[in-house]
Amino acid sequence: MKLGSLTRMVDRDWIRLSLIAWLCIAVYFLHDRWVGIHYLQLGDTDDNMRLMQVRAWLGGQAGTICVNIG
């Protein structure tokens, strides 16, 4: 494949190539971190607290997600 035809292909299909690259990277990261995702291993106590707030909010408890002012 000549350089000119490769350049034309990239110019024509750059969106499709970008989406394919994004998909490959996303699959790699999912595979690499699957154990942590499966067992819900959150790295920080703030992450755990936010998860509990979202679960409470989805369960119908209003007012649990607050913004700190100050």
Side-chain angles (χ1 to χ4, degrees), residues 38-57:
H38 179 73
Y39 291 110
L40 196 61
Q41 296 172 342
L42 300 174
D44 190 9
T45 55
D46 291 339
D47 296 338
N48 290 312
M49 183 56 110
R50 181 62 64 190
L51 177 64
M52 294 299 110
Q53 288 175 339
V54 170
R55 285 182 176 173
W57 179 68

Side-chain angles (χ1 to χ4, degrees), residues 30 33-41:
L30 278 173
R33 292 170 168 84
W34 181 249
V35 173
I37 293 169
H38 179 73
Y39 291 110
L40 196 61
Q41 296 172 342

Side-chain angles (χ1 to χ4, degrees), residues 23-39:
L23 181 64
C24 292
I25 292 168
V27 167
Y28 167 76
F29 279 116
L30 278 173
H31 180 269
D32 187 49
R33 292 170 168 84
W34 181 249
V35 173
I37 293 169
H38 179 73
Y39 291 110

Side-chain angles (χ1 to χ4, degrees), residues 5-7 9 14 17-18 20 24 32 34 40 50 52 54 56 59 61 63 65-66 69-70:
S5 62
L6 180 63
T7 303
M9 184 190 75
W14 68 272
L17 294 171
S18 297
I20 291 170
C24 292
D32 187 49
W34 181 249
L40 196 61
R50 181 62 64 190
M52 294 299 110
V54 170
Q61 182 179 356
I65 299 178
C66 301
I69 299 174

